Amino acid sequence: EDIRPAMSEAQFLRERVRGCFEDVTMVGVQRAPLLGDPWRGSRTLERRLLWSIDAIVAMGPPALDELEAQVLDAPLKDPSRVFAIAMILGCVNGRDALAMAERVFGALEMDDPQHAAQLGAALKLVPHPYLPLSLRTFLSDPDPARRALAIDVLAYRGMATPDELARAGSDEVDVAVAALPWLALTKHPGVRAAIDAAIEGPVARLRTAARVAMVLSGDFRAATSLGGALDAEGEEGDAAASLLGIVAGPTDAQVLLERAQATPTRASVAAVGWAGAKSSVPALMALLQHADEPVVLAAAYALDRITNAGLYEDAIVEADEIMVPDVPEPDLGDKPGPLARAVSDPRDLPAEPSTDTLQRPTTDALRW
C-alpha cells in the first residue's frame, strides 16, 4: 500500500533531467573554493558537473527539450540556472542547442544583470564550435550589455582580434570597461589613445579599467596616474592603491605605508603587502592591534605576503548575513529540539553540526 503509482516514461525522464540540471546549477555556484581552500578541492565538484551533463545528453533529445522549462517555469528565476542551461547546451553540438540557451537568456536578461554574468561564466568554459559566431552576433547587438558580455568572453578565450578590442575600447562605458584590460595586452596602435580617453572621462569604473590597462601594457605613466588617484573616493581609490602596490618602487612603497598608517583601511593596508617593502613589517605588526578587524586581517595577509613565514591559524568561517528581517514566530512555549534528535535512537544521536574553518595568516602579534 506504500508503493507509489508507476511513473510514465515522460515523468521519469523529467524527474531525472530536473535532478541533473539542479546539480549543474549547484556546482556552478560552488566551483570556486573558499579563501584558504586548495584549488584541487574543486575537482570533485567539476566531476559531478560533467557527470550530470553526460547523464542529460545520454537521455537524448527528449531530455534536452526539457531544459528550457527548467529555467522558464522555475518559480525563482535564479541567474545560476542560466549558467546551467548554457553550460549543458554549450557541450552539445549544433547551432540550435546554443540558440536555446540564448533564447532563455533573452527572456530573463532584463530582470537582473547577473543573468549576463552567469551566461558569460558558462561560455568561458564550453567547447561549442559555434561559440565565436554566437558571440560576434552579440558583439553587433544594439544593447551595450550584450556587447560587453561578448567582448569579455571573446577576449578571455583568445578569440577577439586586436581591431575588435580597439573598437570595444572606445565603445560605451560597459563595453570599454570589459575591453580595455584585454586591449592592453595587444600591440594595437590604438591602446594609448583608448587609455587616455578613458582616464580623462567622468566615469570612475572606466578610469579604473584604464589604469589596469596601463599596468598591463607597461605604460611608464602608470605609477604617476595611480598615485594621483589614491585620494579618489570609494572603489576607485581602493583599486588605485592595490594597483600601485603591484607596480610600486621604493618611493611608492613608502607613500603607501605612510597612507596606511595615517588612515588604515583594508585596501590601503593590503596595498602595503603588495608593495612588499621589508621596512613596512614593523608598522604592519603594529596594525595587528588595530580595533577594526578587516584592517587586522589585511595586515596579517600583508605580513604573510612579504615574509612567507607560513604562520597560519584555523579560523571559523562566519555565516553569511542575510539582510532580510526574520518572520515573527508564534510563541509555542518551550521550543522543541531538532527533529533529527527527536526521531533518532537515544543510543545513536546525531552529533552537533561542526563549524566551517579556514586557514589564514595568524593575527597574533606575539607569533609574528
Side-chain angles (χ1 to χ4, degrees):
E1 61 182 344
D2 294 329
I3 298 175
R4 296 173 59 190
M7 282 186 180
S8 67
E9 287 191 15
Q11 288 174 318
F12 175 79
L13 180 135
R14 193 174 299 114
E15 288 298 311
R16 290 291 296 133
V17 170
R18 183 179 63 81
C20 293
F21 183 86
E22 290 181 350
D23 264 9
V24 178
T25 301
M26 178 269 295
V27 173
V29 175
Q30 297 182 347
R31 285 177 61 249
L34 295 172
L35 181 66
D37 287 348
W39 274 95
R40 63 181 177 271
S42 64
R43 188 176 183 183
T44 301
L45 292 173
E46 297 284 351
R47 285 177 171 173
R48 182 169 179 173
L49 180 145
L50 294 175
W51 289 339
S52 296
I53 294 173
D54 286 346
I56 292 174
V57 174
M59 287 184 276
L64 299 178
D65 289 341
E66 291 289 334
L67 295 176
E68 197 167 359
Q70 294 295 326
V71 184
L72 298 181
D73 294 346
L76 178 64
K77 303 302 185 286
D78 185 0
S80 61
R81 290 178 175 268
V82 173
F83 170 89
I85 194 169
M87 187 72 208
I88 296 166
L89 294 173
C91 297
V92 179
N93 203 357
R95 184 67 183 92
D96 54 342
L98 203 55
M100 187 188 295
E102 294 170 9
R103 185 165 62 248
V104 168
F105 169 66
L108 300 177
E109 63 178 321
M110 299 305 294
D111 298 339
D112 184 348
Q114 277 301 310
H115 286 107
Q118 291 295 328
L119 178 68
L123 297 184
K124 288 176 179 179
L125 302 174
V126 298
H128 204 287
Y130 288 105
L131 186 61
L133 173 63
S134 172
L135 289 171
R136 287 194 167 90
T137 303
F138 274 17
L139 195 57
S140 60
D141 195 280
D143 184 358
R146 288 192 169 196
R147 298 200 299 275
L149 164 67
I151 198 65
D152 181 44
V153 178
L154 284 169
Y156 179 89
R157 301 197 61 152
M159 297 174 178
T161 67
D163 286 341
E164 286 173 335
L165 289 168
R167 285 194 297 271
S170 58
D171 203 332
E172 295 187 45
V173 172
D174 289 342
V175 189
V177 166
L180 276 173
W182 299 104
L183 176 62
L185 299 175
T186 71
K187 301 297 184 182
H188 195 280
V191 173
R192 178 79 175 258
I195 289 175
D196 290 346
I199 284 287
E200 295 168 3
V203 182
R205 290 190 301 123
L206 191 55
R207 293 196 296 268
T208 296
R211 294 186 185 107
V212 172
M214 276 185 166
V215 172
L216 292 174
S217 63
D219 194 315
F220 71 91
R221 305 169 297 165
T224 302
S225 176
L226 292 167
L230 290 176
D231 292 328
E233 296 182 358
E235 294 182 4
E236 184 180 9
D238 291 348
S242 298
L243 290 168
L244 183 58
I246 294 171
V247 301
T251 303
D252 301 318
Q254 184 61 32
V255 169
L256 289 171
L257 178 59
E258 291 172 359
R259 292 179 65 86
Q261 289 177 299
T263 55
T265 64
R266 180 178 179 176
S268 65
V269 175
V272 173
W274 286 113
K278 62 183 181 181
S279 57
S280 60
V281 168
L284 290 171
M285 291 176 62
L287 287 171
L288 293 174
Q289 309 295 334
H290 197 273
D292 190 6
E293 185 178 4
V295 170
V296 173
L297 287 175
Y301 277 100
L303 284 167
D304 181 64
R305 186 170 291 117
I306 293 171
T307 66
N308 195 29
L311 300 178
Y312 298 113
E313 64 184 7
D314 288 331
I316 296 175
V317 178
E318 298 293 339
D320 291 338
E321 184 178 0
I322 300 175
M323 305 301 290
V324 177
D326 290 334
V327 177
E329 296 183 3
D331 185 9
L332 302 177
D334 293 335
K335 292 187 177 180
L339 181 61
R341 288 183 164 269
V343 301
S344 298
D345 189 295
R347 297 167 297 177
D348 189 27
L349 294 175
E352 293 294 335
S354 60
T355 55
D356 289 332
T357 61
L358 59 80
Q359 276 203 327
R360 69 184 187 194
T362 181
T363 56
D364 183 353
L366 290 177
R367 288 190 65 191
W368 285 105

